[in-house]
Amino acid sequence: MTQLTPKQPARRGIIFPELTLSPEELARRKAENEAEYQRYRTFFERVRPELIKEHYGWYIAIELNSGDYLIDQDKEIAHQKARDKYPNADHCVFCLNESGATGRI
């Protein structure tokens, strides 16, 4: 006859609890990300009117530290141009249209 073993306690938590971020740290990071996005969006809104006339539907990759932007018809190529020119900097890509959205909803 088979012996029944006591049920193992349920495991809860994550694999590396020492790497868990506090709610305050998560909120701080979210606020920083939102502030950085707003900086990108402000730059985009400033250059969009002049670029949308000739390059409607193209993609613009913005690098804020230099104030430079790169445009291309293909989103991936715009990303690649930004990575090649500024390999250690962050960039953001928008579509040159009314909303700036790069995908479909």
Side-chain angles (χ1 to χ4, degrees):
M1 186 150 115
T2 307
Q3 290 280 25
L4 295 177
T5 59
K7 185 177 177 185
Q8 291 288 330
R11 292 186 181 195
R12 290 192 168 79
I14 61 173
I15 297 173
F16 301 106
E18 65 275 4
L19 299 179
T20 302
L21 298 175
S22 68
E24 295 81 17
E25 177 66 14
L26 290 173
R28 184 188 66 78
R29 289 183 182 193
K30 184 176 180 179
E32 285 178 358
N33 288 343
E34 182 62 29
E36 184 175 11
Y37 170 76
Q38 288 305 322
R39 289 179 50 221
Y40 281 112
R41 188 70 190 196
T42 302
F43 185 91
F44 172 69
E45 293 297 336
R46 190 171 60 232
V47 299
R48 179 176 63 170
E50 63 192 45
L51 295 174
I52 201 169
K53 295 173 188 170
E54 295 180 24
H55 303 291
Y56 186 85
W58 286 36
Y59 296 92
I60 178 171
I62 301 169
E63 199 283 312
L64 283 178
N65 295 332
S66 66
D68 194 14
Y69 60 87
L70 304 134
I71 60 172
D72 199 275
Q73 289 180 327
D74 185 85
K75 179 171 53 173
E76 294 303 319
I77 294 175
H79 268 296
Q80 190 60 46
K81 283 181 178 180
R83 282 191 297 264
D84 291 345
K85 190 166 183 180
Y86 303 103
N88 298 323
D90 292 334
H91 67 277
C92 188
V93 175
F94 293 96
C95 184
L96 289 169
N97 58 23
E98 292 78 15
S99 67
T102 60
R104 292 184 178 182
I105 296 176

